[in-house]
């Protein structure tokens, strides 16, 4: 998998023991290996492998605690991609913390890129940037989250600093239509998601026999055959079941006819196949609102992450 936002692309691969990362910003040709505790999907040992002919006393990525923190978070985020790829993308960008000759320019480029990428993921830019760069965020029940002064200064710099390639600021002035985060059509929420956000698609006016009724779907995956699971464990890998099981319930408690089992669906195909089923059911029940929650297990993730 590759992730990038203009400065370069981060390559990330899942291995038997964890995650391998390449092409971190500022560390060309270095390879980072992160061992993962699969039971909790938490980062454990981190190793940096230098390119050939690197001096033995050269500075290393692991010498930077702030970078090590983001590397660990990026490795752990592999369990819930793409929603948490904000961590991975941060490794392709200069850190906004560093003071350099062109620090304001680089910081503006980084914050502008991270802000817009968070919006694409349906995340709150304020929460995402504060979390990724370890900035304080004060939250009180029923009130807006209050970011740090550093966050506000970085956002202001991104909105005032001109990108020489475009002649425009790295981040546009706030516009509620452009900068208000939207919820993803299908998802089970995310800790960096805004608390109050409009859906990506506006709610349609529903007319028909089932208007006012909501059909809620829960998508899970069948278990793999025991022999296949055991064989995979011997190889140091993990087997997932081939099919998706759909369960549903009407908001008014009405009994629902049996729903189909979606045969031979890979994790990558799962969202598209579920969206197709949602459209099919909305056609079958005119006026009904059909929602779907895809479990982490259905996406092929470790059962402990569900």
């Amino acid at each position: 998998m590759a992730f990038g936002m203009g400065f370069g692309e981060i390559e990330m691969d899942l291995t038997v023991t964890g995650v391998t990362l390449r092409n971190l910003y500022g560390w060309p040709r270095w390879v980072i290996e992160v061992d993962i505790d699969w039971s909790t999907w938490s980062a454990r040992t981190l190793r940096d492998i230098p390119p050939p002919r690197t001096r033995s006393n050269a500075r290393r990525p692991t010498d930077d605690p702030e970078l090590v923190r983001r590397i660990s978070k990026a490795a752990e985020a592999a369990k819930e991609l793409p929603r948490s790829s904000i961590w991975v993308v941060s490794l392709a960008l200069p850190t906004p913390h560093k003071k350099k000759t062109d620090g304001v320019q680089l910081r503006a480029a980084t914050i502008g890129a991270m802000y817009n990428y968070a919006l694409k993921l349906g995340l709150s830019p304020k929460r995402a940037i504060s979390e990724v760069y370890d900035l304080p965020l004060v939250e009180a029940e029923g009130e807006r989250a209050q970011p740090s002064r550093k966050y506000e200064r970085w956002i202001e710099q991104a909105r005032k600093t001109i990108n020489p390639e475009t002649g425009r600021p790295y981040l546009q002035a706030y516009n509620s239509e452009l900068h208000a985060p939207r919820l993803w059509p299908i998802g089970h929420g995310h800790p960096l998601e805004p608390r109050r956000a409009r859906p990506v698609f506006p709610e349609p006016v529903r007319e028909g026999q089932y208007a006012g009724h909501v059909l809620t779907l829960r998508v899970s995956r069948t278990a793999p055959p025991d022999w296949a699971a055991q064989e995979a464990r011997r190889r140091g890998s993990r087997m997932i079941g081939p099919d998706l099981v759909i369960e549903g319930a009407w908001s008014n408690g009405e009994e629902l006819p049996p729903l189909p089992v979606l045969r031979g669906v890979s994790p990558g195909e799962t969202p598209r196949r579920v969206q197709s089923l949602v459209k099919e059911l909305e056609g079958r029940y005119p006026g009904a609102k059909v929602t779907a929650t895809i479990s982490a297990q259905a996406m092929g993730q470790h059962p402990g992450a569900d």
Side-chain angles (χ1 to χ4, degrees):
M1 292 177 283
F3 303 83
M5 289 295 288
F7 286 88
E9 281 194 345
I10 295 293
E11 295 179 10
M12 183 172 73
D13 297 305
L14 285 176
T15 68
V16 172
T17 58
V19 173
T20 299
L21 296 156
R22 296 179 179 84
N23 295 339
L24 277 65
Y25 179 86
W27 300 98
R29 299 185 296 129
W30 282 74
V31 177
I32 311 295
E33 295 180 346
V34 185
D35 291 344
I36 296 290
D37 180 346
W38 299 117
S39 63
T40 59
W41 205 291
S42 56
R44 302 176 69 181
T45 308
L46 189 152
R47 295 176 296 278
D48 50 11
I49 303 171
R53 295 184 293 280
T54 299
R55 299 192 322 272
S56 59
N57 63 344
R59 193 169 61 93
R60 309 177 73 93
T62 49
D63 294 335
D64 185 344
E66 191 265 343
L67 179 58
V68 168
R69 173 181 170 273
R70 284 190 287 120
I71 289 172
S72 297
K73 290 286 189 178
E76 293 169 354
K79 73 175 181 180
E80 49 184 346
L81 292 176
R83 295 301 300 277
S84 283
S85 59
I86 193 85
W87 289 100
V88 185
V89 166
S90 80
L91 299 177
L93 301 168
T95 173
H97 287 292
K98 303 296 184 182
K99 293 183 179 180
K100 299 180 180 178
T101 304
D102 53 354
V104 172
Q105 192 85 28
L106 289 175
R107 182 182 300 123
T110 292
I111 296 303
M114 291 288 279
Y115 193 109
N116 290 319
Y117 190 66
L119 290 176
K120 289 180 181 179
L121 295 176
L123 307 179
S124 161
K126 178 166 53 180
R127 293 175 190 273
I129 292 173
S130 296
E131 176 71 16
V132 169
Y133 296 113
D134 201 21
L135 303 178
L137 187 67
V138 179
E139 297 192 70
E141 188 66 30
E143 297 182 7
R144 284 184 177 275
Q146 298 300 315
S148 67
R149 291 183 180 179
K150 181 177 287 188
Y151 169 86
E152 292 177 336
R153 185 173 73 250
W154 288 355
I155 294 296
E156 183 180 9
Q157 288 175 347
R159 289 202 165 115
K160 288 183 176 179
T161 304
I162 301 299
N163 182 345
E165 295 183 3
T166 64
R168 299 189 299 272
Y170 285 99
L171 184 61
Q172 297 181 35
Y174 184 79
N175 179 312
S176 60
E177 288 302 312
L178 296 175
H179 292 155
R182 301 291 191 265
L183 297 177
W184 278 25
I186 295 179
H188 51 75
H190 189 283
L192 300 182
E193 200 173 75
R195 288 181 180 172
R196 294 178 292 275
R198 287 175 284 178
V200 174
F201 306 120
E203 187 69 24
V205 176
R206 301 181 185 275
E207 298 178 348
Q209 178 184 353
Y210 292 88
H213 296 182
V214 179
L215 173 56
T216 303
L217 305 179
R218 168 75 176 176
V219 183
S220 58
R221 185 173 289 275
T222 56
D226 288 342
W227 65 267
Q230 292 172 7
E231 179 63 27
R233 280 195 293 272
R234 279 196 291 270
R235 296 195 306 266
S237 60
R238 186 172 60 86
M239 178 70 68
I240 64 172
D243 306 325
L244 297 179
V245 178
I246 314 296
E247 298 175 321
W250 283 109
S251 55
N252 62 355
E254 183 178 336
E255 186 174 350
L256 181 68
L259 292 168
V261 174
L262 302 183
R263 304 289 182 184
V265 182
S266 70
E269 295 176 306
T270 295
R272 179 181 59 82
R273 292 289 298 274
V274 173
Q275 285 179 322
S276 296
L277 177 62
V278 166
K279 290 181 179 179
E280 177 187 328
L281 292 172
E282 287 184 338
R284 188 187 307 174
Y285 303 104
K289 177 181 179 180
V290 182
T291 65
T293 298
I294 303 177
S295 69
Q297 178 257 4
M299 293 298 294
Q301 297 169 10
H302 192 280
D306 189 5

